[in-house]
Amino acid sequence: MKLEGSVALVTGANRGIGLAFVRALRAHGAAKVYAGVRHPEFFEESGAEPLLLDVTEQDQIVAAAAARGDVTIVINNAGIQAGPGLLDGSFDGARREMEVNFYGTWALSRAFAPILAANGGGALVNMLSASSWRPNMRYPSYAASKAAEWSLTNALRLGLRDQGTLVVGVHAGPVDTDATLGLDVPKVKPSDVAEMTMRALERNEPEVLVDEVTRSVRAALSGPVDRLAPAR
């Protein structure tokens, strides 16, 4: 699809990968970028229009869809990592992860699917993870929420195909953001995630495998289950 002249909405746009998406869209010629954030008064990125949008608040989703009928690209980037360990801790964080990562993505996709259809199909991008496919003993509920979001992405790809919407799943291993500050592992830059996603959109590709970690995990899906080395 053509990025130049497009109108995009990015959720979780205040920092990290979301902010990188905003900047990449502008660099590729997007005519307008709506930055979905929980506190628009603190968003100061030039060239983007802040939009009050917490993906767990249905009234805010409805209001955003009603007021932004020109959107041609939706990037579901908002996500959290807040769950317990495998064998201890409260399930409250795990439930919150599902509310944001899975239900939030689903709710926003539902709301904007008719808008994308009315504007020629456009694209729906879901920010996923290598954890969509491999177990994570440190953050098991986060991995479960991303696995659910991957399944949803595949369903949306089939469900929106007839209206001409390109549905893209973006998978990455550790990305250098606030969420991975405590991890002493190689990390990719948010800008690299964003740029690879822009290229996929331009080429109408349905899946982005950002790094070697993700490509290896993806390839292992076709083999024995014990080839999926767990993240620790």
Side-chain angles (χ1 to χ4, degrees), residues 137-176:
M137 291 185 290
R138 181 181 294 181
Y139 307 114
S141 56
Y142 172 78
S145 73
K146 286 299 178 178
E149 191 180 355
W150 176 54
S151 179
L152 173 65
T153 300
N154 292 331
L156 288 166
R157 184 174 295 118
L158 295 175
L160 302 183
R161 182 167 54 192
D162 288 347
Q163 71 175 44
T165 299
L166 172 66
V167 176
V168 181
V170 181
H171 298 263
V175 182
D176 192 9

Side-chain angles (χ1 to χ4, degrees), residues 195-225:
E195 182 58 32
M196 291 182 71
T197 303
M198 297 303 108
R199 294 176 190 172
L201 286 169
E202 291 174 333
R203 298 168 183 170
N204 295 317
E205 295 174 348
E207 189 170 74
V208 181
L209 306 179
V210 172
D211 51 12
E212 185 55 38
V213 168
T214 305
R215 288 187 285 271
S216 296
V217 173
R218 184 71 165 91
L221 291 177
S222 60
V225 68

Side-chain angles (χ1 to χ4, degrees), residues 1-224:
M1 70 173 297
K2 187 177 181 181
L3 295 179
E4 187 174 356
S6 62
V7 178
L9 167 64
V10 181
T11 67
N14 58 308
R15 60 184 179 177
I17 301 172
L19 185 56
F21 277 135
V22 169
R23 291 171 176 170
L25 285 160
R26 293 292 295 161
H28 282 262
K32 190 182 298 183
V33 180
Y34 299 118
V37 293
R38 287 182 295 171
H39 300 287
E41 65 273 20
F42 300 134
F43 186 83
E44 298 180 347
E45 181 73 13
S46 62
E49 180 180 325
L51 173 66
L52 175 64
L53 185 55
D54 181 333
V55 298
T56 66
E57 297 291 341
Q58 185 62 29
D59 59 338
Q60 293 182 19
I61 292 174
V62 170
R68 303 299 188 273
D70 54 350
V71 168
T72 60
I73 299 173
V74 172
I75 299 184
N76 282 304
N77 168 74
I80 62 168
Q81 185 174 290
L86 184 62
L87 299 177
D88 56 15
S90 167
F91 287 126
D92 290 347
R95 294 186 178 97
R96 179 67 177 166
E97 285 170 335
M98 289 299 292
E99 285 294 331
V100 176
N101 303 349
F102 177 63
Y103 290 113
T105 294
W106 196 356
L108 196 82
S109 299
R110 276 185 173 185
F112 277 88
I115 294 172
L116 294 176
N119 292 329
L124 178 71
V125 179
N126 290 344
M127 186 63 218
L128 303 171
S129 170
S131 293
S132 306
W133 300 316
R134 71 174 177 179
N136 190 317
M137 291 185 290
R138 181 181 294 181
Y139 307 114
S141 56
Y142 172 78
S145 73
K146 286 299 178 178
E149 191 180 355
W150 176 54
S151 179
L152 173 65
T153 300
N154 292 331
L156 288 166
R157 184 174 295 118
L158 295 175
L160 302 183
R161 182 167 54 192
D162 288 347
Q163 71 175 44
T165 299
L166 172 66
V167 176
V168 181
V170 181
H171 298 263
V175 182
D176 192 9
T177 66
D178 291 349
T180 63
L181 285 177
L183 293 181
D184 185 17
V185 296
K187 304 171 188 178
V188 298
K189 296 185 293 186
S191 58
D192 290 340
V193 176
E195 182 58 32
M196 291 182 71
T197 303
M198 297 303 108
R199 294 176 190 172
L201 286 169
E202 291 174 333
R203 298 168 183 170
N204 295 317
E205 295 174 348
E207 189 170 74
V208 181
L209 306 179
V210 172
D211 51 12
E212 185 55 38
V213 168
T214 305
R215 288 187 285 271
S216 296
V217 173
R218 184 71 165 91
L221 291 177
S222 60

